[in-house]
Amino acid sequence: MNFEEILAKCGNSSRYQFLLLSLYGFLMVVISMHYFSQNVISFVPDHWCYHEQLESRSYAEIEAIYAQFERPSCTLLASIDEDGGNATASPERCNRWIYKYDFGYKSMNTELNWVCDEAYKPRVGQSLFFVGSVCGTLVFGLLGDRIGRIKALILANWCGFLGDFSTIFAASLTSFSVSRFVSGLAADANSYLMYILILEYVSPSLRNIGLNTVLGSFYCLGLIGASWLAVWVGHWRIFLACSSLPLLLVTLFYFLVQESAQWLVTRNDIDGAITRLQRVAKINRREVSDDDFKAFRGYCERHYEKEVQAADNRQTKLLDMLKTPRMRSTAFKLLTIFIIITPCYNTIARNVEGLGISPFVMFSLNALTLPPSGYLQGLLQDRIGRKATAVSWMAITGLFAAGAGLVMSQGSSQQNVLLLVALTLAARFGVSIADGASAQFSTELIPTCVRGRGVAVVHVAGFAASFLSPYILHLGTYFRPAPSIILGLLFLAGAYVCLLLPETRNRKLPVFLAEGEEFGKGERMFDFLRHLRQGGGKDKAEGAGISGKEKEEDTLMTKVA
């Protein structure tokens, strides 16, 4: 009796699975606030150099006075006429500013005056956040395969709390950078470990529409909550305190969430796996006989012995993926996809300023695209498969991103606010589907025995590539359409790489490396289109690229597409 069969007896769409989805929803709220807190604390409102003669003037008058200068935000005035029609610039450096606070919110940049010549300082902190995410994703991914998913998940969220809370007391570039590095250690690791757990415990019907709808809906609530929590409290330090404390509540997951039974099997802790499954059955109020668990034990022992013999009596290492040609090819393709999609996602998702409307409003509008994108992603993956979803939406998003960049390049965004916002939101909608589909597609292709480490490495590669995001945007100062052209080409390149990978929908996925080497063997680039023309539905042996013999073999399974 394989894992899928024993899990069905214990319950794979019942009380425990809905508990997992509820906890995942809570996690998405606090994680979205954590991940985008850097943006919220560093919003920069309209600002102008201070002059005593401007104290009694309205913001409109101040803006009109400074409009005649090339750098209105950073030009210090020497003198101003009474009517404001004639003003002269001072060669001295500006060290005090007038801020037009958006909804009265005081950000870190306005309090510390990190604008103009010191505007690079928040970017340094953001860079260190990504450095931390690279280190943290790798470390916690390794820990996830060593000490278990739950313990690694809790440790990651503790790092997130420590980093965000310590940022409250930052008053210099050094202290700010260190605290952002610690905060970044949690980024991504504090979510994908729980994601892996859910994939291993819930039924196919919940994995697609249910899981992605929960992800999109609660991530949306977190983003909207982050925006308007900042407006409500009015100060960036109070906002960080309020948004970081909920990360500590993830510690309670230790008592509520069962460790991955399949991970325990790969560690030869079959007794531990059976204990977790018995707890799941108890929560779901299912009666499972001892004979069923004995059959599952025998199945696990047989497959583990085969894997140990194949691995020369040693624990499977991540680098073992590179020792066979097909697994090596798959590994490099997955790395390429994440190197492409992650910087594109960060470039689009964080682009909420300079669009002609309040960044708080734009943040909320961006968030509202997530529930429908999550639902549509799950629906498409269920109907047309992972591969078709990832490929099509990478191409579509490339067109949306290019359109938004070209509109912005035409001149002042104020002249094209509605069109620019519409295209930006369309790109945000598309990149959410493309990113989510690629993440799930990649997770399914990595065998269970190295899944935690494998997912960590591809995410590390993506975060490392995210350093390119600001440079992509900076190219617009030399050639305005350049960023949009680059994003479009990157999305098309990502779509092509996805075409080279096998479909995972309705397949028994690999647990050990030997199974990963054989997975999708013989499948061609466009075979998934033939399945679509046949009307989808459950995979047949021939249409799915799986032989009848392979269909009959028992394969320990992490996820059914």
Side-chain angles (χ1 to χ4, degrees):
M1 180 176 292
N2 63 24
F3 182 80
E4 182 68 12
E5 292 168 340
I6 191 67
L7 180 62
K9 289 180 176 291
C10 295
N12 57 14
S13 298
S14 191
R15 293 156 57 93
Y16 179 68
Q17 283 69 34
F18 288 111
L19 172 63
L20 282 180
L21 291 177
S22 299
L23 293 175
Y24 188 62
F26 166 78
L27 192 63
M28 286 301 97
V29 171
V30 297
I31 284 175
S32 61
M33 297 176 71
H34 163 75
Y35 190 73
F36 287 97
S37 62
Q38 176 71 30
N39 292 70
V40 176
I41 66 174
S42 59
F43 282 158
V44 180
D46 292 336
H47 56 285
W48 307 272
C49 277
Y50 173 82
H51 193 281
E52 58 273 9
Q53 293 180 257
L54 298 175
E55 289 183 347
S56 59
R57 297 180 184 269
S58 67
Y59 289 124
E61 291 175 325
I62 295 173
E63 184 176 8
I65 291 172
Y66 274 100
Q68 58 187 297
F69 299 100
E70 184 178 355
R71 299 182 65 201
S73 299
C74 307
T75 300
L76 180 63
L77 299 181
S79 62
I80 308 172
D81 288 349
E82 290 186 5
D83 60 359
N86 186 20
T88 58
S90 170
E92 296 181 10
R93 180 180 175 182
C94 184
N95 56 18
R96 185 179 175 186
W97 285 265
I98 299 171
Y99 292 103
K100 184 181 179 181
Y101 294 111
D102 204 356
F103 293 101
Y105 172 69
K106 296 182 180 179
S107 67
M108 177 196 66
N109 291 42
T110 60
E111 180 179 308
L112 302 179
N113 286 326
W114 283 359
V115 294
C116 294
D117 293 338
E118 296 191 347
Y120 71 92
K121 291 183 177 180
R123 297 189 179 96
V124 172
Q126 184 65 53
S127 298
L128 268 294
F129 181 89
F130 281 114
V131 171
S133 69
V134 169
C135 299
T137 301
L138 183 59
V139 169
F140 290 116
L142 293 172
L143 286 175
D145 280 342
R146 292 291 181 88
I147 67 175
R149 321 296 199 206
I150 295 298
K151 293 177 182 177
L153 173 70
I154 293 171
L155 290 174
N157 280 278
W158 282 358
C159 283
F161 164 77
L162 180 62
D164 281 358
F165 199 77
S166 61
T167 303
I168 296 172
F169 307 99
S172 66
L173 178 58
T174 301
S175 60
F176 176 69
S177 299
V178 171
S179 63
R180 297 321 295 165
F181 173 82
V182 176
S183 178
L185 290 172
D188 208 44
N190 57 359
S191 61
Y192 78 77
L193 289 168
M194 185 67 176
Y195 186 79
I196 290 175
L197 270 172
I198 293 177
L199 293 183
E200 296 176 352
Y201 272 117
V202 302
S203 67
S205 61
L206 286 179
R207 289 170 189 158
N208 290 326
I209 296 178
L211 178 57
N212 288 292
T213 301
V214 168
L215 191 156
S217 299
F218 284 91
Y219 209 85
C220 167
L221 290 177
L223 290 180
I224 295 176
S227 299
W228 301 106
L229 174 64
V231 171
W232 181 54
V233 300
H235 198 280
W236 69 277
R237 297 184 193 271
I238 303 176
F239 164 76
L240 275 182
C242 294
S243 62
S244 62
L245 287 173
L247 290 169
L248 293 178
L249 296 177
V250 179
T251 307
L252 298 176
F253 283 28
Y254 183 81
F255 306 100
L256 299 172
V257 180
Q258 302 302 315
E259 184 55 83
S260 168
Q262 295 190 65
W263 172 76
L264 291 170
V265 170
T266 65
R267 307 294 291 181
N268 199 29
D269 185 6
I270 301 174
D271 289 334
I274 291 176
T275 299
R276 269 61 176 190
L277 289 169
Q278 288 173 335
R279 291 175 183 171
V280 171
K282 183 178 180 180
I283 295 172
N284 289 337
R285 298 177 179 175
R286 297 288 186 91
E287 295 291 336
V288 183
S289 68
D290 291 338
D291 291 338
D292 289 331
F293 284 118
K294 287 180 181 178
F296 175 66
R297 179 190 295 276
Y299 167 82
C300 293
E301 289 174 348
R302 290 194 303 273
H303 279 70
Y304 183 79
E305 288 174 0
K306 290 180 182 178
E307 176 64 14
V308 169
Q309 293 172 1
D312 297 325
N313 296 317
R314 60 183 173 81
Q315 289 289 337
T316 305
K317 297 180 180 179
L318 182 62
L319 291 178
D320 291 339
M321 287 184 66
L322 305 180
K323 293 182 178 180
T324 54
R326 297 192 72 254
M327 282 302 300
R328 179 167 57 246
S329 175
T330 298
F332 284 119
K333 289 169 186 174
L334 295 181
L335 282 173
T336 302
I337 289 172
F338 271 80
I339 288 172
I340 290 173
I341 195 66
T342 306
C344 289
Y345 176 87
N346 282 305
T347 302
I348 293 174
R350 296 176 183 274
N351 182 28
V352 296
E353 296 186 79
L355 299 176
I357 64 174
S358 166
F360 294 105
V361 175
M362 192 63 200
F363 223 78
S364 299
L365 292 175
N366 271 346
L368 291 174
T369 66
L370 296 179
S373 67
Y375 178 81
L376 182 59
Q377 177 195 332
L379 186 64
L380 290 175
Q381 288 180 161
D382 188 51
R383 296 290 180 84
I384 66 175
R386 276 67 163 143
K387 185 173 180 177
T389 302
V391 169
S392 60
W393 279 95
M394 280 189 185
I396 293 170
T397 305
L399 297 178
F400 285 147
L406 290 173
V407 170
M408 187 178 291
S409 71
Q410 298 304 310
S412 174
S413 62
Q414 293 288 352
Q415 300 172 0
N416 306 289
V417 171
L418 291 178
L419 180 58
L420 179 59
V421 169
L423 287 171
T424 302
L425 291 176
R428 181 68 172 94
F429 179 88
V431 78
S432 297
I433 297 178
D435 179 67
S438 300
Q440 189 165 339
F441 191 30
S442 302
T443 302
E444 293 172 351
L445 287 168
I446 300 174
T448 301
C449 59
V450 292
R451 179 162 294 153
R453 287 164 287 176
V455 172
V457 168
V458 295
H459 278 73
V460 163
F463 276 116
S466 292
F467 287 114
L468 297 175
S469 297
Y471 299 103
I472 292 174
L473 293 174
H474 186 67
L475 289 175
T477 60
Y478 304 102
F479 181 57
R480 287 183 176 180
S484 60
I485 293 173
I486 292 174
L487 284 176
L489 292 175
L490 286 175
F491 276 117
L492 291 175
Y496 173 73
V497 176
C498 281
L499 283 173
L500 302 177
L501 293 169
E503 177 59 87
T504 59
R505 177 173 176 261
N506 288 341
R507 304 285 184 87
K508 287 188 175 182
L509 301 187
V511 173
F512 300 113
L513 293 181
E515 297 169 349
E517 179 67 14
E518 295 299 317
F519 186 81
K521 196 170 186 179
E523 182 177 330
R524 293 173 295 181
M525 184 183 295
F526 295 103
D527 278 356
F528 71 99
L529 294 178
R530 181 178 61 184
H531 178 65
L532 292 179
R533 288 195 298 268
Q534 292 173 349
K538 293 183 178 180
D539 267 331
K540 298 179 180 179
E542 293 181 359
I546 303 174
S547 68
K549 182 179 179 180
E550 287 173 319
K551 270 289 186 181
E552 295 173 356
E553 291 178 349
D554 285 329
T555 308
L556 185 60
M557 164 178 187
T558 305
K559 185 171 179 258
V560 177

